[in-house]
């Protein structure tokens, strides 16, 4: 067979630029997302340094607004989401017993679009200044700004957002179509479930962002008047569109963290998840309700008491499935044998922190009281409790947990514990006082505050906390650097795992499973361990494995959009056209070049199995 | 009914919480030290929601601490824990109890949300009506019935319900006086005018701090204003003297000349002058220069000399004035006092 097949083995940089392997794309997402996380973190620390003392003049006015805009935009779109996508890529196909995602080529396109979009956005720092209208980019502040900052925001996010949408669709199809025999929906690990629901949210939420950003782009680049009140436009249109995307986005971020925590709590308590079906139902319900609550970001814009009350009650309703999750985690631990590894420490730190972020969320859902909280530091404290205390602790937990599977090495546990305690204590020091700052009358997004308003003490403590968080992150970096120079771990299953991703040898073979496994229950690997088998039962004989070829086209395609982005920003239609032309050419090439992939022969697979490599 | 649910106990729990939160912050700025009816009711809502939430936190934290201490893996234990699927009774319990708690919270929520809403109808007889317009980066206050316009400083009589109409001249701002009421956005355009009301409280001769709460540009942080609450009688006198004030109320002929030549096209004094900049009627009595600097001649001179240095991104141009002219116009402005 395979007369028309060709397969070129590439190495080094070219291998990474052309890869369509979900494991490598996962690592790329993690590296790029980690890099942007450091930039976003640095921006946060600079802001905290400015706010450490009253009347400070280090980063003022426009520059401070650029920092706060880029911190928010970077952390949400370029750090948190890509790191989530990193784990989804690296782990989800393994958890459902698949050899890759449904569309490996699209997967690579998604990554490179995100990467070039993020790069474009961050280049604004060197090209006339970053966007300064907040990550929410409220019109007309965003439309009247004269410099190119907001143009970078518009084009950068449009390109990165397209990548996210492609990724989301890919995972939806992967979960629906690529599950191993026996892996029914109600046997899928919670992380897979959460990723599945998140992908669904991306499918419905990101088009709203795309449309909104197109309107903003037309307003800025082609002088349209969607948000210009003087010309019959309406500024509230942007707020609605942005939050119709923006609120589901919060759940796009937090649901995968819920999934990670569910995996870790279950593994390190050596117990199956308590109330699995309730957990699945709660995840789906949170995802659904996430689309019904966007107006709670807009209680003060004047939509009237009827709208405010309806959205208040809808918002409160989300607390119920979220509470179900919290109690199910606690009861998963109940009666278990809890092992306090670093991954588990982060998960243990996650639960109470997230509960605190959740209860302030319920407080914020009360419109009449929200008139006091809104756009004050109380809100800043709340969403950092949810996003840092929730999502980031979850991602750190996931990193320590899955690092051995992704990078074939175990991170140092002692450094890991330093990482945890510094970050955890720093986090609470930073954000707990901010609740009080808000209630004491400090608005958010201010570059300074005058002395004599009793705001000095809490701000000082908050900055100290931010520095500790930075120190914790540096410990993590050191840990990663040390591990990179250490040897491969020999064990494929360091945590006594329960799910399929721990069933393969390290390093994970290119084709994941030499033989697709047969899944016989929830926690597929644990089922086999409990039955005394120790490893998965294959669902098929050893045979040829069909693999996709790598391709440089996704890289070039995204590069084309990157170039055209510059064209639109500087209203240079030749450059814009040339970039789009490059995209069309790569699309054309992708359509006409017949690429059937290649096959790994049976003998090679058998040799791998014999040698313990598969 | 159980003892701990009795009203007296609940009130004392409230009192304790209130004590814990009160005294936090500046009494002319903190939402935790409410001074008017609306802020007071908002503070009550905070207390109700915080109480319910603390109850939730305590239950979760105690349960959690117990689990973490009790179920650690013991050394040498090689047994496998029992694999429990779940428990329908428990699931039902932690679904129904939160629903009940949220219903308790939802009732006052909806009640107060309707209570605090205001609409386009003009103020009733015993209400005071004002129109607030946000500008980058200052506030304009119009008293339609009294026919006067002030800037940066809102003078109000005590014990009065104030009906507010809000709009913006440029981007979105948000009008917030934490001591008196929560915020409402000011939107540009006639279609999205907002309305709110608040009560000025019983204290007199007190200056509350007001803030802009929506990112509006480079000097968003500096867009402060003041609310001076005075007795009803003082308020009447203030209105009369404000309306009587004109450009001659300051006795500095030299400065007046400079002012009329360079500043009057944007800044009004009395009935004369433009309205693109804040009105400077009674400037000598104000609390701050440019809304933020201490009210003295040195700061005023610095502000006129280089407005961008004080408030980055603001619309006041750097007027080409000699040092002597700046000195004269500063003296003139500081002399603009109400009788």
């Amino acid at each position: 067979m395979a007369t028309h097949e060709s397969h070129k083995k590439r190495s080094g940089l070219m291998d990474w630029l052309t890869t369509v392997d979900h494991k490598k794309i996962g690592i790329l997402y993690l590296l790029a997302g980690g890099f942007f996380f450091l930039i976003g973190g640095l921006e946060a620390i600079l802001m905290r340094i400015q706010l450490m003392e009253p009347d400070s003049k280090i980063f003022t006015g426009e520059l401070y607004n650029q920092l706060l805009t880029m911190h928010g935009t970077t952390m949400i779109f370029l750090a948190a989401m890509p790191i989530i996508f990193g784990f989804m890529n690296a782990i989800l196909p393994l958890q459902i017993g698949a050899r890759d995602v449904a569309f490996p080529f699209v997967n690579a396109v998604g990554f490179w679009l995100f990467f070039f979009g993020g790069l474009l956005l961050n280049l604004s720092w060197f090209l006339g200044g970053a966007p300064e209208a907040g990550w929410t980019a409220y019109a007309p502040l965003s439309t009247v700004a004269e410099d190119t900052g907001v143009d970078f925001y518009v084009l950068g996010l449009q390109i990165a957002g397209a990548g996210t949408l492609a990724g989301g669709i890919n995972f939806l199809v992967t979960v629906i179509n690529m599950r191993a025999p026996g892996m029914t929906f109600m046997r899928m690990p919670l992380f897979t479930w959460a990723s599945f629901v998140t992908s669904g949210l991306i499918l419905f939420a990101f088009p709203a962002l795309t449309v909104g950003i197109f309107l903003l782009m037309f307003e800025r680049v082609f002088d349209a008047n969607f948000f210009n009140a003087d010309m019959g436009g309406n500024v509230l249109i942007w707020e609605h569109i942005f939050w119709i995307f923006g609120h589901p986005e919060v759940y796009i971020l937090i649901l995968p963290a819920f999934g990670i925590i569910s995996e870790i709590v279950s593994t390190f308590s050596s117990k199956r998840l308590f109330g699995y079906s309730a957990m699945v139902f709660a995840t789906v319900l949170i995802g659904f309700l996430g689309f019904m609550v966007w107006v709670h970001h807009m209680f003060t814009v004047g939509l009237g008491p009827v709208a405010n009350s309806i959205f208040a009650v809808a918002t409160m309703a989300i607390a119920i499935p979220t509470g179900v999750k919290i109690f199910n985690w606690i009861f998963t631990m109940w009666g278990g044998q809890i092992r306090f590894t670093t991954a588990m420490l982060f998960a243990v730190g996650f639960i109470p922190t997230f509960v605190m972020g959740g209860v302030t969320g319920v407080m914020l859902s009360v419109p009449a009281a929200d008139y006091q909280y809104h756009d004050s530091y109380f809100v800043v404290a709340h969403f950092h409790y949810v996003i840092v205390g929730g999502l980031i602790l979850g991602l750190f937990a996931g990193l320590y947990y899955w690092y051995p599977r992704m990078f074939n090495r175990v991170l140092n546990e002692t450094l890991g514990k330093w990482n945890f305690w510094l970050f955890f204590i720093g986090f609470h020091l930073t954000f707990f006082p901010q609740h009080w700052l808000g209630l004491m009358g400090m608005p958010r997004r201010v570059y300074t505050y005058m002395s004599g308003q009793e705001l000095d003490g809490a701000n000082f403590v908050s900055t100290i906390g931010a520095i500790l968080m930075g120190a914790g992150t540096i410990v993590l970096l050191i840990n990663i650097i040390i591990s990179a120079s250490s040897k491969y771990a020999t064990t494929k299953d360091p945590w006594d795992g329960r799910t399929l991703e721990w069933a393969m040898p390290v390093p994970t073979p290119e084709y994941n499973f030499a033989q697709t496994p047969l899944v016989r229950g929830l926690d597929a690997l644990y089922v086999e361990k409990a039955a005394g088998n120790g490893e998965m039962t294959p669902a098929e004989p050893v045979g040829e494995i069909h693999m996709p070829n790598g391709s440089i086209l996704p890289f070039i395609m995204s590069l084309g959009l990157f170039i055209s982005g510059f064209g639109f920003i500087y209203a240079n239609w030749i450059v814009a056209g040339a970039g789009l032309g490059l995209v069309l050419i790569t699309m054309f090439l992708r359509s006409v070049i017949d690429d059937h992939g290649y096959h790994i022969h049976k003998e090679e697979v058998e040799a791998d199995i014999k040698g313990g490599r598969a | 009914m159980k003892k701990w649910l009795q009203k007296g106990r609940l009130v004392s729990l409230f009192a304790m919480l209130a004590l814990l939160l009160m005294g936090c912050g500046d009494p002319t700025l903190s939402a935790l030290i409410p001074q008017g009816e609306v802020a007071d009711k908002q503070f009550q809502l905070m207390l109700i929601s915080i109480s319910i939430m603390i109850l939730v936190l305590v239950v979760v934290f105690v349960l959690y601490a117990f689990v973490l201490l009790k179920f650690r893996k013991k050394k040498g234990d090689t047994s496998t824990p029992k694999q429990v699927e779940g428990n329908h009774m428990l699931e039902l319990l932690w679904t129904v109890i939160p629903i009940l708690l949220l219903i308790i919270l939802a009732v006052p929520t909806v009640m107060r949300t309707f209570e605090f809403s205001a609409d386009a109808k003009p103020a009733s007889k015993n209400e005071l009506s004002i129109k607030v317009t946000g500008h980058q980066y200052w506030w304009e206050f119009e008293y339609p019935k009294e026919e006067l316009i002030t800037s940066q400083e809102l003078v109000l009589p005590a014990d009065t319900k104030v009906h507010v109409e809000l709009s913006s001249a440029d981007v979105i701002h948000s009008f917030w006086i934490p001591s008196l009421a929560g915020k409402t956005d000011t939107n540009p355009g006639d279609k999205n005018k907002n309305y709110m009301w608040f009560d000025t409280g019983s204290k007199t001769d007190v200056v509350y701090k007001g803030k802009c709460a929506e990112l509006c540009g480079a000097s968003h942080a500096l867009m402060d204003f003041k609310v001076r609450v005075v007795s009803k009688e003082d308020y009447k006198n203030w209105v009369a003297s404000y309306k009587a004030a004109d450009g001659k109320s300051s006795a500095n002929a030299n400065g007046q000349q400079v002012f009329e030549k360079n500043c009057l096209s944007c800044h009004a004094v009395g009935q004369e002058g433009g309205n693109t900049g804040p009105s400077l009627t009674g400037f000598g009595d104000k609390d701050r220069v440019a809304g933020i600097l201490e009210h003295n001649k040195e700061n005023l001179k610095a502000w006129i000399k280089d407005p961008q240095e004080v408030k980055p991104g603001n619309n006041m141009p750097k007027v080409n004035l000699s040092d002597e002219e700046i000195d004269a116009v500063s003296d003139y402005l500081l002399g603009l006092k109400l009788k």
Side-chain angles (χ1 to χ4, degrees):
Chain A
M1 65 181 338
T3 42
H4 299 295
E5 281 177 6
S6 66
H7 175 57
K8 227 176 10 189
K9 271 235 180 290
R10 299 182 175 92
S11 58
L13 183 64
M14 229 15 221
D15 178 38
W16 287 100
L17 294 183
T18 60
T19 187
V20 293
D21 179 350
H22 73 97
K23 297 178 286 297
K24 286 185 177 158
I25 291 176
I27 289 172
L28 286 175
Y29 265 118
L30 206 62
L31 287 177
F35 172 69
F36 286 125
F37 177 76
L38 295 180
I39 293 181
L42 183 68
E43 284 153 1
I45 287 176
L46 294 181
M47 282 192 284
R48 277 318 320 168
I49 288 174
Q50 160 66 16
L51 292 176
M52 192 168 183
E53 281 171 347
D55 304 309
S56 181
K57 290 208 156 66
I58 309 169
F59 305 102
T60 59
E62 194 127 302
L63 179 59
Y64 185 89
N65 289 355
Q66 294 178 3
L67 283 172
L68 74 86
T69 303
M70 287 303 284
H71 167 69
T73 314
T74 303
M75 284 305 199
I76 299 268
F77 291 101
L78 310 179
M81 294 206 56
I83 294 175
I84 289 168
F85 265 121
F87 289 137
M88 276 160 71
N89 262 294
I91 303 301
L92 185 146
L94 303 182
Q95 280 197 333
I96 59 171
R99 293 215 165 96
D100 206 323
V101 292
F103 309 118
F105 182 89
V106 174
N107 202 14
V109 173
F111 168 76
W112 290 111
L113 283 176
F114 139 69
F115 179 78
F116 279 113
L119 192 65
L120 183 65
L121 185 52
N122 273 280
L123 283 175
S124 63
W125 281 117
F126 309 104
L127 298 167
E132 70 278 42
W135 87 280
T136 49
Y138 273 15
L141 185 62
S142 57
T143 54
V144 297
E146 276 160 17
D147 53 22
T148 51
V150 179
D151 299 315
F152 278 94
Y153 171 94
V154 165
L155 271 306
L157 284 194
Q158 193 67 284
I159 295 170
T164 307
L165 191 54
I169 293 170
N170 204 349
F171 285 111
L172 280 177
V173 181
T174 303
V175 169
I176 293 171
N177 281 338
M178 311 279 285
R179 285 165 292 125
M183 177 61 83
T184 60
F185 270 97
M186 290 311 277
R187 285 179 182 173
M188 291 195 317
L190 239 276
F191 175 69
T192 297
W193 253 115
S195 304
F196 182 60
V197 175
T198 279
S199 303
L201 296 187
I202 288 174
L203 179 66
F204 289 105
F206 265 74
L209 178 72
T210 307
V211 168
I213 286 184
F214 260 121
L215 297 186
L216 197 52
M217 173 176 160
F218 272 68
E219 182 127 354
R220 287 193 60 92
V221 182
F222 304 114
D223 296 322
N225 292 303
F226 301 107
F227 312 124
N228 185 349
D230 296 335
M231 303 294 286
N234 192 324
V235 292
L236 294 193
I237 295 175
W238 169 262
E239 288 187 43
H240 279 293
I241 293 177
F242 185 84
W243 287 116
I244 284 171
F245 147 77
H247 198 80
E249 169 71 14
V250 177
Y251 294 101
I252 290 170
L253 295 175
I254 199 65
L255 287 179
F258 285 171
I260 294 171
I261 298 299
S262 303
E263 303 286 318
I264 291 174
V265 164
S266 163
T267 301
F268 293 106
S269 305
S270 303
K271 271 187 70 197
R272 67 174 271 158
L273 203 61
F274 190 89
Y276 170 83
S277 38
M279 287 294 247
V280 171
F281 185 69
T283 307
V284 176
L285 192 62
I286 291 172
F288 179 75
L289 287 176
F291 282 95
M292 312 286 158
V293 298
W294 80 89
V295 164
H296 72 215
H297 299 269
M298 300 170 63
F299 281 153
T300 66
V301 307
L303 299 178
V306 177
N308 283 1
S309 298
I310 290 171
F311 280 91
V313 175
T315 304
M316 289 178 188
I318 292 194
I320 297 160
T322 315
V324 167
K325 284 188 163 286
I326 303 285
F327 284 110
N328 274 311
W329 285 324
I330 296 179
F331 275 80
T332 301
M333 295 184 212
W334 185 288
Q337 295 170 348
I338 304 172
R339 286 170 286 153
F340 286 96
T341 58
T342 304
M344 185 61 174
L345 262 186
F346 274 108
V348 163
F350 166 96
I351 293 174
T353 312
F354 187 80
V355 172
M356 289 171 73
V359 298
T360 52
V362 176
M363 290 175 66
L364 281 160
S365 74
V366 178
D370 178 70
Y371 301 155
Q372 288 284 20
Y373 309 138
H374 183 81
D375 265 338
S376 79
Y377 258 83
F378 187 84
V379 174
V380 177
H382 158 71
F383 69 69
H384 281 95
Y385 261 80
V386 176
I387 294 184
V388 183
L391 172 65
I392 300 296
L393 288 184
L395 293 179
F396 278 2
L399 185 68
Y400 278 89
Y401 180 58
W402 281 317
Y403 202 84
R405 177 49 61 191
M406 292 181 74
F407 298 99
N408 313 312
R409 301 164 175 89
V410 183
L411 284 171
N412 182 295
E413 282 285 305
T414 313
L415 283 173
K417 274 160 197 166
W418 274 98
N419 177 191
F420 171 75
W421 286 112
L422 279 171
F423 195 85
F424 187 72
I425 294 170
F427 166 78
H428 283 281
L429 268 186
T430 310
F431 294 109
F432 195 72
Q434 292 186 0
H435 292 112
W436 261 258
L437 281 175
L439 298 176
M440 281 160 28
M442 180 159 165
R444 70 188 277 209
R445 292 169 160 176
V446 291
Y447 74 76
T448 190
Y449 52 97
M450 275 174 260
S451 58
Q453 303 186 101
E454 310 216 7
L455 302 173
D456 309 7
N459 268 305
F460 186 79
V461 173
S462 188
T463 301
I464 300 296
I467 292 168
L468 282 185
M469 287 169 81
T473 310
I474 289 172
V475 173
L476 173 66
L477 282 184
I478 294 172
N479 203 348
I480 289 172
I481 293 166
I482 291 177
S483 93
S485 56
S486 70
K487 269 194 223 150
Y488 273 20
T490 46
T491 167
K492 64 177 185 177
D493 181 14
W495 316 119
D496 190 16
R498 308 169 67 85
T499 39
L500 273 177
E501 75 266 32
W502 305 108
M504 286 147 289
V506 281
T508 313
E510 197 187 348
Y511 43 79
N512 298 351
F513 299 91
Q515 294 159 282
T516 302
L518 179 68
V519 175
R520 301 201 290 183
L522 177 67
D523 291 347
L525 185 59
Y526 174 79
V527 169
E528 302 300 331
K529 284 178 183 171
N533 299 336
E535 44 186 73
M536 298 307 296
T537 312
E540 59 174 16
V542 179
E544 304 233 320
I545 298 175
H546 186 201
M547 300 295 292
N549 274 325
S551 168
I552 193 70
L553 291 179
F555 179 86
I556 297 175
M557 202 181 278
S558 310
L559 183 70
L561 279 176
F562 176 73
I563 293 168
S564 79
F566 275 108
F568 284 112
I569 289 167
Y570 293 108
N572 184 329
W573 310 128
I574 298 169
V575 175
L580 289 178
L582 191 60
V583 177
L584 287 176
I585 291 168
T586 48
M587 283 173 150
F588 177 75
L589 288 177
R590 169 68 182 165
S591 303
V592 296
I593 296 175
D594 248 355
D595 183 357
H596 294 293
Y598 67 101
H599 281 80
I600 295 175
H601 296 292
K602 194 176 163 185
E603 295 75 35
E604 288 175 62
V605 181
E606 277 170 343
D608 280 353
I609 294 174
K610 224 178 213 170
R613 292 186 302 275
Chain B
M1 199 177 251
K2 278 183 186 163
K3 216 178 168 187
W4 55 270
L5 263 177
Q6 276 171 12
K7 217 184 167 192
R9 292 292 180 98
L10 254 180
V11 169
S12 64
L13 179 77
F14 256 60
M16 263 171 61
L17 250 178
L19 218 65
L20 193 77
L21 291 173
M22 288 268 249
C24 270
D26 175 342
T28 60
L29 175 66
S30 176
L32 299 175
I33 312 173
Q35 308 281 6
E37 187 193 340
V38 172
D40 206 48
K41 285 179 175 165
Q42 285 169 336
F43 184 61
Q44 299 299 333
L45 269 178
M46 283 184 208
L47 290 182
I48 295 172
S49 52
I50 291 178
S51 311
I52 297 175
M53 292 308 136
I54 286 181
L55 180 76
V56 173
L57 283 183
V58 168
V59 170
V60 172
F61 284 9
V62 167
L63 188 67
Y64 194 50
F66 173 77
V67 168
L68 288 182
L69 292 173
K70 176 88 196 281
F71 299 109
R72 326 182 69 138
K73 188 179 172 80
K74 288 162 195 81
K75 264 197 182 137
D77 187 352
T78 52
S79 66
T80 312
K82 198 172 159 224
Q83 304 293 309
V84 190
E85 277 194 29
N87 183 319
H88 289 298
M89 211 38 228
L90 281 174
E91 300 282 354
L92 206 64
L93 195 70
W94 57 58
T95 310
V96 171
I97 292 178
I99 291 179
L100 293 178
L101 290 177
L102 288 174
I103 290 174
I104 295 174
L105 181 61
V107 172
T109 296
V110 174
M111 222 172 78
R112 293 287 188 234
T113 303
F114 276 86
E115 186 182 337
F116 293 155
S117 75
D119 51 31
K121 269 183 265 166
S124 66
K125 229 180 176 183
N126 44 8
E127 285 177 1
L128 180 72
S129 178
I130 55 165
K131 287 184 180 177
V132 172
T133 309
H135 296 259
Q136 280 173 325
Y137 303 96
W138 59 278
W139 295 92
E140 179 185 327
F141 304 114
E142 185 186 347
Y143 299 64
K145 226 185 274 172
E146 290 79 357
E147 292 180 336
L148 55 87
I149 294 175
T150 72
S151 67
Q152 299 294 56
E153 223 174 89
L154 185 56
V155 179
L156 297 170
D159 286 319
T160 306
K161 193 171 167 184
V162 183
H163 182 273
V164 190
E165 179 185 315
L166 302 122
S167 60
S168 167
D170 35 56
V171 302
I172 303 172
H173 306 274
S174 196
F175 177 76
W176 188 25
I177 316 160
S179 304
L180 296 179
K183 60 194 76 60
T184 303
D185 292 0
T186 69
N187 299 315
D190 292 337
K191 287 212 175 68
N192 291 312
K193 279 206 171 119
N194 278 336
Y195 302 89
M196 66 179 283
W197 66 272
F198 64 89
D199 185 280
T200 52
S202 54
K203 284 191 186 164
T204 55
D205 298 314
V206 46
V207 179
Y208 297 116
K209 297 188 175 83
K211 304 264 175 192
C212 172
E214 180 63 62
L215 179 66
C216 58
S219 282
H220 163 56
L222 307 179
M223 198 172 152
D224 287 3
F225 62 98
K226 297 289 181 304
V227 181
R228 186 192 298 277
V229 179
V230 297
S231 70
K232 287 185 175 166
E233 208 184 292
D234 287 349
Y235 176 73
K236 260 186 210 151
N237 294 337
W238 174 80
V239 170
S241 59
Y242 196 93
K243 288 181 81 165
D246 58 21
K248 289 178 208 88
S249 56
S250 176
N252 188 313
N254 202 3
Q256 188 176 355
Q257 212 175 16
V258 177
F259 182 82
E260 281 170 1
K261 200 171 142 207
N262 298 290
C263 316
L264 204 62
S265 58
C266 295
H267 294 282
V269 172
Q271 304 298 321
E272 278 173 61
N275 59 2
T276 47
S279 157
L280 296 177
T281 313
F283 182 82
D285 297 326
K286 292 232 160 135
D287 187 75
R288 295 273 161 176
V289 171
I292 43 165
L293 298 177
E294 225 174 288
H295 202 71
N296 58 40
K297 191 177 166 189
E298 215 160 295
N299 283 337
L300 181 57
K301 279 163 70 180
W303 162 242
I304 297 170
K305 194 158 188 163
D306 191 356
Q308 291 303 321
E309 179 66 29
V310 176
K311 249 184 173 173
N314 84 84
N315 294 322
M316 172 149 147
K318 199 168 168 175
V319 182
N320 199 10
L321 295 177
S322 69
D323 282 354
E324 291 79 42
E325 285 172 317
I326 291 180
D327 198 71
V329 85
S330 298
D331 278 335
Y332 168 74
L333 287 171
L334 288 170
L336 286 173
K337 289 188 188 262
L338 301 182
K339 274 176 207 126

